Amino acid sequence: MNQDKNCEERKMQTDPERVSVLGLGAMGGVLAAAVVKAGHRTTIWNRSAGRADGLVAAGAIEAGTAAEAVRAGELVVVCLFDHASIHEVLDPVAADLAGRTIVNVTTTTPAQARELAGWAERLGARYVDGGIMAVPEMIGGPDSLVLYSGAQEAFDRHRHVLDRWGRSEFQGSDAGLASLVDLAMLAGMYVMFAGFLHGAAMVAPAGIPARRFAALSAPWLTAMTTAFDGYAEVIDGGDYTVPGQQTLVFSDLGDIVDASVAQGVDPSAVAMVQQLIRRQIDAGYGADGFARIYESLRSPAAAVR
Ligand code: NAP
């Protein structure tokens, strides 16, 4: 009996599925290709013509309409542009969604992901939200990570399909969690990129090309990421006075701001960090560790959109 059950579970995890992919842009096209390559019966649809040809040659079936594509799949992957485009495509086919699993990997806010989850649930569909932490060239490779949240049973059932795109990490049953973690990770990426570009602008007037600066900066910034664990330990422990940390006073960025201005560079990227440090020093915490700027971030002075 148990053997039968195990066999059934294994079968569920490996059987070819009927998968539909809506949206064949730079990301959707690569996701669909990975599903086709894994041997699933893959139906594809895109708003504009001309995106499906290579996939059809590889074995995908092109649907004439989004409704046709939805009806062909037990797992419906949605990779469109934004929240509005998802409703634009799925609202007219809402009646066909009952009993199916929607995996939406279009970038949305956490609130929009929750809205979609509630909407899908009312239609009788299972909803899993996904946050892709990869660019198209990385899909299926060792560094590709995809975050998921929402209906766990549906995630578990279709995981063997999703795993083809990269490492799958389930965040929890709150459908907004994948998006939240995705956007939080992107926040780190964009601030790092702005910091790198700031540095490139600083050295440019000295005749140092951005390419040379990039070669110097990449290993440096990579090495600095080893500090994350230490900061995380201090934040989770809640004690910013733990010995051995670089203090806030020592972390004063005044020299960087001055040198930026002297190079004719807008100092706002660095001044933003300096302001977070200053707020803690002014509150009397100058001897605490740098991680304390986390407290400045948790009590925003003013929200900027
Ligand atoms: P893309 O190349 O610009 O493709 C966008 C896709 O959405 C196209 O298939 C487009 O169809 C479709 N679309 C846009 N508006 C539509 C509408 N109103 N109705 C129907 N279809 C519509 O973008 P992408 O790079 O594939 O990105 C897709 C999603 O993945 C985005 O949410 C993006 O944030 C997310 N993502 C992308 C990356 C990345 O590196 N590319 C990484 C992580 C997450 P047409 O061909 O007809 O225009």
Side-chain angles (χ1 to χ4, degrees), residues 24-27 46-48 51 80-81 88-89 106-107 132 134 136:
L24 304 173
M27 183 55 84
N46 194 67
R47 176 182 61 178
S48 315
R51 298 251 207 192
L80 297 170
F81 179 62
E88 201 174 308
V89 172
T106 312
T107 305
I132 302 177

Side-chain angles (χ1 to χ4, degrees), residues 202-286:
M202 279 179 79
V203 298
I208 299 174
R211 199 179 286 268
R212 199 166 122 214
F213 186 67
L216 292 168
S217 292
W220 160 250
L221 290 176
T222 304
M224 288 303 97
T225 61
T226 56
F228 289 177
D229 277 347
Y231 288 142
E233 212 176 311
V234 169
I235 291 163
D236 289 344
D239 181 4
Y240 299 104
T241 68
V242 173
Q245 301 179 67
Q246 179 174 311
T247 66
L248 281 164
V249 169
F250 187 84
S251 309
D252 186 278
L253 306 188
D255 287 350
I256 306 178
V257 172
D258 291 348
S260 302
V261 172
Q263 292 296 96
V265 172
D266 180 333
S268 36
V270 173
M272 174 272 289
V273 184
Q274 174 77 329
Q275 188 214 44
L276 298 172
I277 294 170
R278 271 269 137 237
R279 276 171 50 199
Q280 294 303 313
I281 294 176
D282 292 349
Y285 298 111

Side-chain angles (χ1 to χ4, degrees), residues 16-20 35 39-43 61 72:
E17 288 196 17
R18 289 181 294 113
V19 183
S20 295
V35 176
H40 298 291
R41 185 182 163 81
T42 312
T43 305
I61 303 148

Side-chain angles (χ1 to χ4, degrees), residues 30 36 52 67 73 95 114 148 161 209 240 248 252 302:
V30 173
V36 173
R114 290 182 193 115
Y148 296 97
V161 180
Y240 299 104
L248 281 164
D252 186 278

Side-chain angles (χ1 to χ4, degrees), residues 9 103 129 152 250 271 286 293:
E9 273 172 8
V103 171
D129 202 78
Q152 177 148 25
F250 187 84
I293 69 168

